[in-house]
Amino acid sequence: MSTSIVSTPRAGKPLWQRLPIISHYRMSAGLQRGMLVAGLVLTCIFVLAAALAPLIAPYGHAQISDASGNFPTQAPPGGRFLWGTTVGGFDVFSRTLWGAQTAFAVIVIAVAFSIFLGVILGLVSGYLGGWLDRIMVVLADAIYAFPSLLLAIVMSIVISQGQSSLWGGVMAAAISITVVFIPQYFRVIRAETVRLKAEPFVESAKVVGASSGRIMFKHIFRNATRTLPLIFTLNASEALLTLAGLGFLGFGIEPTAASEWGFDLNRAMSDATSGIWWTGVFPGAAIVLTVLGLTLVGESMNDLADPRLRLRRKAKNRGGKATA
Amino acid sequence: MNAQPLDATGRADGIVLSIEDLEVTFATDAGQVPAVRKVGFEVSAGEVVAVVGESGSGKSVTARTILGLLAETATARGAVLLNGSNMLTLSARELRAMRGDDVSMVFQEPSTALNPVYTVGWQIIEGLRAHGKVSKKEAKARAIEVLRKVGIPEPEKRVNYYPHQFSGGQKQRVVIAAALALNPALIVADEPTTALDVTVQAEILELLREVRDDFNTGIVLITHNMGVVADLADRVVVMYQGKIVETAPSVELFANPREEYTQALLAAVPHLGRNSASAGMSERSGQEQEVLVEATDLNITFPGRLGSPSFTAVDGVSLQICAGEVYGLVGESGSGKTTIGRAIAGLNRVSSGSLKVLGHEMLGFKERSFKKVRQDIGFVFQDPAASFNPQLSVGECVAEPLYVHTSLEPRAARKKVEELLEAVQLPAAFAARFPHELSGGQRQRASLARALALDPKLLIADEPTSALDVSVQAKVLELFKELQAELGFAALFISHDLAVVDMLSTWVGVLYRGKLVEEGIGNQVMGDPQHPYTRRLIASLPVPDPVEQAIRREAFLKTLS
């Protein structure tokens, strides 16, 4: 009836309960909650390791000696070197921790850049349409057609040109990942924009006489970006894999400038055959667990955002006990 | 194969379905929500029981429970006895055996109920063979037979057609044929005619009546349309907020509704010929006023895809709307009525001819030069849920025209919004709410407030009440009428519902396949239609009165034969 108001639970809740991950946690149940929590724990460990690396790491990322002389090379785990040392005398534990910092910086910069550019391009291209849209879509498809790692390699060569400083290397890696990711955000936002363009509320803004810019940024933008947290988490793990891939192939950051898991894995390759497992296992496990954590968060957010996939606490007596 | 597999012989009379103390609860994010509470009714063989109610009354949930088609989040208690077995306690396998054989369903939207990649014959045969009784050849013969029974011409050929090769009404016939294929004792029809045009609706209702008479099938008819109820139902169950309000034979219910809710519901149903806006008028009024919209030989075509010809939505229409006049535009889906409204608002381009809106020529129009004119045009969209930006508050949405066209201070704008909301009988506090927190009727009022924000000369209302429940529709129409009388704006009122158009507009135009076939004073067009199409349209409209409807039906069937 017209007078009764159905208020949804979303309204009137404090802001913090409506934030993406917290609201997702609150409506999760069962296995989905388990997945989300596992992902969040892994992601938190990763973020904490990145933030607290300077405090926890016993040595610097490029340190091969201290007051008591040079570090031993290829020392097994134990004693002064918790996870052993590499062939160059680096402490594996310290490098794995510092690597988290590099990975975090690259992920944040890459994803921020690609979201920013991808969203704007997608909005403009989807809303205005016409030849501009056609060119953008062809460009995005062309970028898609390249293997992403190859593109990242080309970009990192173009951008860094042999630079090896910390920020130079991080930016080079981040920007090359950005180029690979822009088409993804562009496509998602463009598709949403094209869909929303035909919605009555956009048409009603048009009838009112609102300008294109106002319609794009006031009416479409906020409705088109609701899926972004989701792509964001899924892409973060992909960004990490691309970074590790670049490092593994030697296009990443110099070991003296910063620590990088992919590079360490590359160096550990020859160790593996001679039974030195610790140089490869720890950075490798760091990559796997971080990617797993981010993916779990992303996937469970994806499931929770869709009411049809979301598990709910069941009402008692499901299926019904007949009284007759 | 049996000689007469579809004959009613052998079907025992008596109670087919009996629902007792049914309770259905949904687990949602907000906790447990009861949808159906203590509902009970019975259906006998050969009887049509209509379950009526507004949206959210639990009528569809009740219908789905009968087939055991509940969502995973639902919990049902009570008993749904179909031919003696309780559908709530059966296993999935037993349920599958019951569906089709003992009970089947006719869905609301025939185009989505059929699988587009298989032929209709395949889909009917699939249902027959799932119950494992017949060979492929027999099944096909049976499919052809049911298609013939539901009035599909040349069933031998058309059994191999795909769903898109049928029209909407024929698709619904195919859906009914599929439901009939195994000759079930009960058919549940969930809003079977809501997605169809009135003329097609009349044919489908006639078909359902034949099904009941020929096969002695019990039918549970779920609908919100009281005209359909009056036309088809033997007995009526009125539901409100998950409970049964009243159960009565159809004739008795319409003549003497006992409960207050039923009385209010019936009073809210628009009835063709009653409450006409043009009652007592003999000529078009207000012709001396300024002409706001003038269309001459208006053509609007949509380009076809590569290789297919372009589609003409509006074909040589000439019409005129003067200041202060309510022009009603009626037509079935695809008649071009919405396209005309959108062209006037500058949302569709005019292909040829001339369309002058407030002195501005719309042929080859430029957004920049039209923008100034926009403040004199208000637009109310069909779906109130979709026409508000879900991320903005109602106040911000209503203030949008003020923001775009005037340079009001935020405080003055807020005050104006409050005035507007009060004008449409909404509390001013609603400005802070979000659109999803309002009910459909409240949203449509807010939509009206937004359209009237700049005091426009012309209001275009595109099916403003077709998404609303009858009782809400009555209130919104009342409000529209009051505001129009008070503010004196001209309006183009677009609707498929003749009764609604007649209530509001003095001058009515009837569109058929893009052509304006008839134009005239409301009560004259409705009372004495000249064009054969208008006559058919008016004759096919079911009126909410079983006795009167029976007479009208006879007349309508005569026009068909």
Side-chain angles (χ1 to χ4, degrees), chain A residues 86-124:
Chain A
T86 68
V87 70
F90 295 129
D91 174 34
V92 175
F93 181 60
S94 305
R95 272 192 72 84
T96 307
L97 280 177
W98 287 108
Q101 212 172 37
T102 317
F104 184 76
V106 170
I107 288 175
V108 168
I109 296 174
V111 174
F113 275 9
S114 43
I115 282 187
F116 189 70
L117 284 170
V119 166
I120 289 193
L121 293 178
L123 267 179
V124 171

mmCIF file of all heavy atoms in Angstrom, chain A residues 86-124:
data_model
loop_
_atom_site.group_PDB
_atom_site.id
_atom_site.type_symbol
_atom_site.label_atom_id
_atom_site.label_comp_id
_atom_site.label_asym_id
_atom_site.label_seq_id
_atom_site.Cartn_x
_atom_site.Cartn_y
_atom_site.Cartn_z
ATOM 1 N N THR A 86 70.983 -16.536 0.522
ATOM 2 C CA THR A 86 71.036 -16.884 -0.902
ATOM 3 C C THR A 86 72.469 -17.015 -1.346
ATOM 4 O O THR A 86 73.407 -16.817 -0.565
ATOM 5 C CB THR A 86 70.370 -15.807 -1.764
ATOM 6 O OG1 THR A 86 71.187 -14.648 -1.697
ATOM 7 C CG2 THR A 86 68.983 -15.482 -1.282
ATOM 8 N N VAL A 87 72.616 -17.294 -2.625
ATOM 9 C CA VAL A 87 73.951 -17.458 -3.189
ATOM 10 C C VAL A 87 74.748 -16.152 -3.101
ATOM 11 O O VAL A 87 75.960 -16.158 -2.970
ATOM 12 C CB VAL A 87 73.859 -17.988 -4.638
ATOM 13 C CG1 VAL A 87 73.296 -16.926 -5.566
ATOM 14 C CG2 VAL A 87 75.215 -18.456 -5.143
ATOM 15 N N GLY A 88 74.051 -15.028 -3.125
ATOM 16 C CA GLY A 88 74.740 -13.738 -3.036
ATOM 17 C C GLY A 88 74.929 -13.294 -1.597
ATOM 18 O O GLY A 88 75.449 -12.214 -1.346
ATOM 19 N N GLY A 89 74.445 -14.070 -0.629
ATOM 20 C CA GLY A 89 74.606 -13.708 0.772
ATOM 21 C C GLY A 89 73.470 -12.884 1.333
ATOM 22 O O GLY A 89 73.571 -12.355 2.436
ATOM 23 N N PHE A 90 72.361 -12.733 0.589
ATOM 24 C CA PHE A 90 71.205 -12.005 1.143
ATOM 25 C C PHE A 90 70.463 -12.884 2.131
ATOM 26 O O PHE A 90 70.379 -14.103 1.946
ATOM 27 C CB PHE A 90 70.221 -11.620 0.027
ATOM 28 C CG PHE A 90 70.785 -10.645 -0.961
ATOM 29 C CD1 PHE A 90 70.717 -10.900 -2.323
ATOM 30 C CD2 PHE A 90 71.369 -9.455 -0.531
ATOM 31 C CE1 PHE A 90 71.221 -10.014 -3.245
ATOM 32 C CE2 PHE A 90 71.875 -8.568 -1.467
ATOM 33 C CZ PHE A 90 71.809 -8.842 -2.815
ATOM 34 N N ASP A 91 69.870 -12.255 3.146
ATOM 35 C CA ASP A 91 69.051 -12.988 4.114
ATOM 36 C C ASP A 91 67.659 -13.188 3.519
ATOM 37 O O ASP A 91 66.959 -12.225 3.201
ATOM 38 C CB ASP A 91 68.960 -12.192 5.415
ATOM 39 C CG ASP A 91 68.003 -12.839 6.402
ATOM 40 O OD1 ASP A 91 67.938 -14.082 6.420
ATOM 41 O OD2 ASP A 91 67.327 -12.095 7.142
ATOM 42 N N VAL A 92 67.220 -14.432 3.359
ATOM 43 C CA VAL A 92 65.955 -14.713 2.677
ATOM 44 C C VAL A 92 64.775 -14.122 3.444
ATOM 45 O O VAL A 92 63.859 -13.541 2.856
ATOM 46 C CB VAL A 92 65.768 -16.237 2.492
ATOM 47 C CG1 VAL A 92 64.406 -16.550 1.895
ATOM 48 C CG2 VAL A 92 66.859 -16.788 1.607
ATOM 49 N N PHE A 93 64.789 -14.248 4.764
ATOM 50 C CA PHE A 93 63.684 -13.735 5.575
ATOM 51 C C PHE A 93 63.500 -12.231 5.365
ATOM 52 O O PHE A 93 62.405 -11.741 5.102
ATOM 53 C CB PHE A 93 63.957 -14.052 7.048
ATOM 54 C CG PHE A 93 62.883 -13.586 7.981
ATOM 55 C CD1 PHE A 93 61.576 -14.058 7.853
ATOM 56 C CD2 PHE A 93 63.164 -12.671 8.994
ATOM 57 C CE1 PHE A 93 60.594 -13.633 8.723
ATOM 58 C CE2 PHE A 93 62.176 -12.239 9.857
ATOM 59 C CZ PHE A 93 60.887 -12.720 9.725
ATOM 60 N N SER A 94 64.628 -11.504 5.446
ATOM 61 C CA SER A 94 64.536 -10.055 5.279
ATOM 62 C C SER A 94 64.048 -9.705 3.881
ATOM 63 O O SER A 94 63.181 -8.845 3.700
ATOM 64 C CB SER A 94 65.893 -9.405 5.505
ATOM 65 O OG SER A 94 66.384 -9.765 6.758
ATOM 66 N N ARG A 95 64.600 -10.392 2.881
ATOM 67 C CA ARG A 95 64.205 -10.041 1.509
ATOM 68 C C ARG A 95 62.739 -10.351 1.243
ATOM 69 O O ARG A 95 62.057 -9.620 0.534
ATOM 70 C CB ARG A 95 65.096 -10.776 0.497
ATOM 71 C CG ARG A 95 66.358 -9.977 0.188
ATOM 72 C CD ARG A 95 67.099 -10.514 -1.008
ATOM 73 N NE ARG A 95 66.443 -10.253 -2.282
ATOM 74 C CZ ARG A 95 66.564 -9.103 -2.965
ATOM 75 N NH1 ARG A 95 67.303 -8.130 -2.482
ATOM 76 N NH2 ARG A 95 65.948 -8.950 -4.109
ATOM 77 N N THR A 96 62.237 -11.426 1.847
ATOM 78 C CA THR A 96 60.824 -11.744 1.642
ATOM 79 C C THR A 96 59.947 -10.655 2.273
ATOM 80 O O THR A 96 58.951 -10.220 1.680
ATOM 81 C CB THR A 96 60.499 -13.118 2.250
ATOM 82 O OG1 THR A 96 61.414 -14.084 1.730
ATOM 83 C CG2 THR A 96 59.084 -13.545 1.918
ATOM 84 N N LEU A 97 60.340 -10.189 3.445
ATOM 85 C CA LEU A 97 59.560 -9.123 4.089
ATOM 86 C C LEU A 97 59.620 -7.835 3.281
ATOM 87 O O LEU A 97 58.598 -7.197 3.020
ATOM 88 C CB LEU A 97 60.091 -8.863 5.501
ATOM 89 C CG LEU A 97 59.621 -9.836 6.578
ATOM 90 C CD1 LEU A 97 60.288 -9.475 7.894
ATOM 91 C CD2 LEU A 97 58.111 -9.775 6.726
ATOM 92 N N TRP A 98 60.830 -7.452 2.879
ATOM 93 C CA TRP A 98 60.955 -6.215 2.085
ATOM 94 C C TRP A 98 60.212 -6.349 0.762
ATOM 95 O O TRP A 98 59.674 -5.376 0.243
ATOM 96 C CB TRP A 98 62.435 -5.897 1.822
ATOM 97 C CG TRP A 98 63.164 -5.385 3.036
ATOM 98 C CD1 TRP A 98 64.099 -6.056 3.766
ATOM 99 C CD2 TRP A 98 63.028 -4.096 3.646
ATOM 100 N NE1 TRP A 98 64.551 -5.284 4.804
ATOM 101 C CE2 TRP A 98 63.909 -4.068 4.757
ATOM 102 C CE3 TRP A 98 62.253 -2.978 3.381
ATOM 103 C CZ2 TRP A 98 64.030 -2.955 5.588
ATOM 104 C CZ3 TRP A 98 62.388 -1.871 4.203
ATOM 105 C CH2 TRP A 98 63.255 -1.862 5.291
ATOM 106 N N GLY A 99 60.195 -7.560 0.248
ATOM 107 C CA GLY A 99 59.492 -7.789 -1.029
ATOM 108 C C GLY A 99 58.018 -7.450 -0.911
ATOM 109 O O GLY A 99 57.394 -6.957 -1.862
ATOM 110 N N ALA A 100 57.439 -7.701 0.274
ATOM 111 C CA ALA A 100 56.035 -7.361 0.477
ATOM 112 C C ALA A 100 55.825 -5.863 0.267
ATOM 113 O O ALA A 100 54.819 -5.431 -0.311
ATOM 114 C CB ALA A 100 55.588 -7.777 1.867
ATOM 115 N N GLN A 101 56.805 -5.083 0.737
ATOM 116 C CA GLN A 101 56.670 -3.630 0.597
ATOM 117 C C GLN A 101 56.650 -3.216 -0.876
ATOM 118 O O GLN A 101 55.784 -2.449 -1.303
ATOM 119 C CB GLN A 101 57.851 -2.972 1.296
ATOM 120 C CG GLN A 101 57.490 -1.641 1.877
ATOM 121 C CD GLN A 101 58.620 -1.098 2.730
ATOM 122 O OE1 GLN A 101 59.804 -1.269 2.425
ATOM 123 N NE2 GLN A 101 58.249 -0.438 3.799
ATOM 124 N N THR A 102 57.582 -3.774 -1.638
ATOM 125 C CA THR A 102 57.623 -3.456 -3.067
ATOM 126 C C THR A 102 56.314 -3.865 -3.740
ATOM 127 O O THR A 102 55.713 -3.101 -4.497
ATOM 128 C CB THR A 102 58.779 -4.210 -3.749
ATOM 129 O OG1 THR A 102 59.913 -4.137 -2.915
ATOM 130 C CG2 THR A 102 59.060 -3.645 -5.111
ATOM 131 N N ALA A 103 55.901 -5.095 -3.439
ATOM 132 C CA ALA A 103 54.690 -5.605 -4.076
ATOM 133 C C ALA A 103 53.501 -4.704 -3.742
ATOM 134 O O ALA A 103 52.703 -4.347 -4.618
ATOM 135 C CB ALA A 103 54.414 -7.029 -3.603
ATOM 136 N N PHE A 104 53.410 -4.301 -2.475
ATOM 137 C CA PHE A 104 52.295 -3.468 -2.060
ATOM 138 C C PHE A 104 52.293 -2.146 -2.821
ATOM 139 O O PHE A 104 51.268 -1.707 -3.357
ATOM 140 C CB PHE A 104 52.384 -3.217 -0.554
ATOM 141 C CG PHE A 104 51.228 -2.458 0.001
ATOM 142 C CD1 PHE A 104 50.003 -3.088 0.188
ATOM 143 C CD2 PHE A 104 51.336 -1.116 0.323
ATOM 144 C CE1 PHE A 104 48.930 -2.396 0.700
ATOM 145 C CE2 PHE A 104 50.261 -0.417 0.818
ATOM 146 C CZ PHE A 104 49.055 -1.054 1.018
ATOM 147 N N ALA A 105 53.459 -1.515 -2.890
ATOM 148 C CA ALA A 105 53.549 -0.225 -3.585
ATOM 149 C C ALA A 105 53.141 -0.378 -5.044
ATOM 150 O O ALA A 105 52.346 0.424 -5.576
ATOM 151 C CB ALA A 105 54.970 0.317 -3.479
ATOM 152 N N VAL A 106 53.655 -1.419 -5.687
ATOM 153 C CA VAL A 106 53.359 -1.593 -7.110
ATOM 154 C C VAL A 106 51.858 -1.847 -7.305
ATOM 155 O O VAL A 106 51.225 -1.265 -8.189
ATOM 156 C CB VAL A 106 54.202 -2.744 -7.701
ATOM 157 C CG1 VAL A 106 53.720 -3.086 -9.095
ATOM 158 C CG2 VAL A 106 55.662 -2.346 -7.730
ATOM 159 N N ILE A 107 51.288 -2.709 -6.457
ATOM 160 C CA ILE A 107 49.857 -3.011 -6.601
ATOM 161 C C ILE A 107 49.032 -1.740 -6.457
ATOM 162 O O ILE A 107 48.169 -1.433 -7.289
ATOM 163 C CB ILE A 107 49.411 -4.050 -5.553
ATOM 164 C CG1 ILE A 107 49.975 -5.415 -5.894
ATOM 165 C CG2 ILE A 107 47.895 -4.120 -5.489
ATOM 166 C CD1 ILE A 107 49.674 -6.460 -4.848
ATOM 167 N N VAL A 108 49.313 -0.974 -5.392
ATOM 168 C CA VAL A 108 48.495 0.211 -5.142
ATOM 169 C C VAL A 108 48.627 1.208 -6.282
ATOM 170 O O VAL A 108 47.625 1.699 -6.818
ATOM 171 C CB VAL A 108 48.888 0.853 -3.791
ATOM 172 C CG1 VAL A 108 48.267 2.229 -3.662
ATOM 173 C CG2 VAL A 108 48.449 -0.041 -2.655
ATOM 174 N N ILE A 109 49.862 1.478 -6.693
ATOM 175 C CA ILE A 109 50.050 2.481 -7.751
ATOM 176 C C ILE A 109 49.408 2.002 -9.050
ATOM 177 O O ILE A 109 48.670 2.739 -9.719
ATOM 178 C CB ILE A 109 51.545 2.771 -7.960
ATOM 179 C CG1 ILE A 109 52.115 3.392 -6.681
ATOM 180 C CG2 ILE A 109 51.759 3.715 -9.131
ATOM 181 C CD1 ILE A 109 53.599 3.585 -6.725
ATOM 182 N N ALA A 110 49.684 0.724 -9.400
ATOM 183 C CA ALA A 110 49.169 0.225 -10.671
ATOM 184 C C ALA A 110 47.650 0.252 -10.695
ATOM 185 O O ALA A 110 47.025 0.729 -11.653
ATOM 186 C CB ALA A 110 49.671 -1.198 -10.910
ATOM 187 N N VAL A 111 47.035 -0.248 -9.624
ATOM 188 C CA VAL A 111 45.581 -0.327 -9.632
ATOM 189 C C VAL A 111 44.967 1.072 -9.580
ATOM 190 O O VAL A 111 43.982 1.361 -10.263
ATOM 191 C CB VAL A 111 45.086 -1.230 -8.480
ATOM 192 C CG1 VAL A 111 43.583 -1.189 -8.389
ATOM 193 C CG2 VAL A 111 45.538 -2.649 -8.698
ATOM 194 N N ALA A 112 45.580 1.976 -8.799
ATOM 195 C CA ALA A 112 45.040 3.333 -8.716
ATOM 196 C C ALA A 112 45.087 4.017 -10.077
ATOM 197 O O ALA A 112 44.104 4.612 -10.526
ATOM 198 C CB ALA A 112 45.811 4.140 -7.683
ATOM 199 N N PHE A 113 46.244 3.919 -10.738
ATOM 200 C CA PHE A 113 46.367 4.538 -12.062
ATOM 201 C C PHE A 113 45.335 3.971 -13.028
ATOM 202 O O PHE A 113 44.648 4.694 -13.742
ATOM 203 C CB PHE A 113 47.763 4.268 -12.643
ATOM 204 C CG PHE A 113 48.802 5.252 -12.202
ATOM 205 C CD1 PHE A 113 48.514 6.178 -11.213
ATOM 206 C CD2 PHE A 113 50.068 5.253 -12.767
ATOM 207 C CE1 PHE A 113 49.467 7.088 -10.795
ATOM 208 C CE2 PHE A 113 51.027 6.162 -12.358
ATOM 209 C CZ PHE A 113 50.732 7.072 -11.371
ATOM 210 N N SER A 114 45.264 2.625 -13.056
ATOM 211 C CA SER A 114 44.406 2.040 -14.092
ATOM 212 C C SER A 114 42.936 2.302 -13.787
ATOM 213 O O SER A 114 42.141 2.502 -14.700
ATOM 214 C CB SER A 114 44.693 0.555 -14.278
ATOM 215 O OG SER A 114 44.841 -0.080 -13.049
ATOM 216 N N ILE A 115 42.567 2.350 -12.499
ATOM 217 C CA ILE A 115 41.175 2.673 -12.185
ATOM 218 C C ILE A 115 40.870 4.091 -12.652
ATOM 219 O O ILE A 115 39.880 4.354 -13.335
ATOM 220 C CB ILE A 115 40.900 2.556 -10.673
ATOM 221 C CG1 ILE A 115 40.739 1.102 -10.284
ATOM 222 C CG2 ILE A 115 39.640 3.319 -10.298
ATOM 223 C CD1 ILE A 115 40.305 0.890 -8.873
ATOM 224 N N PHE A 116 41.758 5.016 -12.301
ATOM 225 C CA PHE A 116 41.523 6.421 -12.609
ATOM 226 C C PHE A 116 41.330 6.615 -14.113
ATOM 227 O O PHE A 116 40.313 7.142 -14.571
ATOM 228 C CB PHE A 116 42.707 7.230 -12.092
ATOM 229 C CG PHE A 116 42.510 8.700 -12.144
ATOM 230 C CD1 PHE A 116 41.604 9.321 -11.291
ATOM 231 C CD2 PHE A 116 43.216 9.475 -13.051
ATOM 232 C CE1 PHE A 116 41.411 10.676 -11.344
ATOM 233 C CE2 PHE A 116 43.022 10.840 -13.105
ATOM 234 C CZ PHE A 116 42.124 11.441 -12.255
ATOM 235 N N LEU A 117 42.304 6.137 -14.879
ATOM 236 C CA LEU A 117 42.226 6.333 -16.324
ATOM 237 C C LEU A 117 41.103 5.503 -16.945
ATOM 238 O O LEU A 117 40.336 5.989 -17.769
ATOM 239 C CB LEU A 117 43.562 5.962 -16.966
ATOM 240 C CG LEU A 117 44.639 7.007 -16.757
ATOM 241 C CD1 LEU A 117 45.988 6.479 -17.184
ATOM 242 C CD2 LEU A 117 44.299 8.264 -17.554
ATOM 243 N N GLY A 118 41.020 4.238 -16.515
ATOM 244 C CA GLY A 118 40.018 3.354 -17.101
ATOM 245 C C GLY A 118 38.607 3.870 -16.872
ATOM 246 O O GLY A 118 37.767 3.846 -17.775
ATOM 247 N N VAL A 119 38.338 4.393 -15.670
ATOM 248 C CA VAL A 119 36.992 4.863 -15.365
ATOM 249 C C VAL A 119 36.652 6.080 -16.221
ATOM 250 O O VAL A 119 35.587 6.153 -16.829
ATOM 251 C CB VAL A 119 36.852 5.180 -13.863
ATOM 252 C CG1 VAL A 119 35.591 5.968 -13.604
ATOM 253 C CG2 VAL A 119 36.847 3.902 -13.061
ATOM 254 N N ILE A 120 37.572 7.041 -16.300
ATOM 255 C CA ILE A 120 37.275 8.257 -17.071
ATOM 256 C C ILE A 120 37.083 7.922 -18.552
ATOM 257 O O ILE A 120 36.102 8.325 -19.180
ATOM 258 C CB ILE A 120 38.403 9.287 -16.888
ATOM 259 C CG1 ILE A 120 38.323 9.829 -15.472
ATOM 260 C CG2 ILE A 120 38.282 10.408 -17.906
ATOM 261 C CD1 ILE A 120 39.146 11.029 -15.230
ATOM 262 N N LEU A 121 38.012 7.121 -19.083
ATOM 263 C CA LEU A 121 37.895 6.780 -20.498
ATOM 264 C C LEU A 121 36.603 6.006 -20.760
ATOM 265 O O LEU A 121 35.902 6.249 -21.740
ATOM 266 C CB LEU A 121 39.101 5.956 -20.946
ATOM 267 C CG LEU A 121 40.432 6.707 -20.955
ATOM 268 C CD1 LEU A 121 41.559 5.778 -21.356
ATOM 269 C CD2 LEU A 121 40.372 7.890 -21.920
ATOM 270 N N GLY A 122 36.291 5.074 -19.862
ATOM 271 C CA GLY A 122 35.087 4.268 -20.045
ATOM 272 C C GLY A 122 33.826 5.106 -20.012
ATOM 273 O O GLY A 122 32.923 4.938 -20.837
ATOM 274 N N LEU A 123 33.761 6.044 -19.070
ATOM 275 C CA LEU A 123 32.588 6.914 -18.958
ATOM 276 C C LEU A 123 32.413 7.737 -20.218
ATOM 277 O O LEU A 123 31.330 7.768 -20.822
ATOM 278 C CB LEU A 123 32.759 7.871 -17.777
ATOM 279 C CG LEU A 123 32.207 7.469 -16.421
ATOM 280 C CD1 LEU A 123 32.523 8.556 -15.415
ATOM 281 C CD2 LEU A 123 30.714 7.261 -16.503
ATOM 282 N N VAL A 124 33.482 8.414 -20.618
ATOM 283 C CA VAL A 124 33.386 9.314 -21.760
ATOM 284 C C VAL A 124 33.054 8.532 -23.022
ATOM 285 O O VAL A 124 32.136 8.874 -23.771
ATOM 286 C CB VAL A 124 34.706 10.093 -21.925
ATOM 287 C CG1 VAL A 124 34.705 10.871 -23.223
ATOM 288 C CG2 VAL A 124 34.907 11.016 -20.744
#
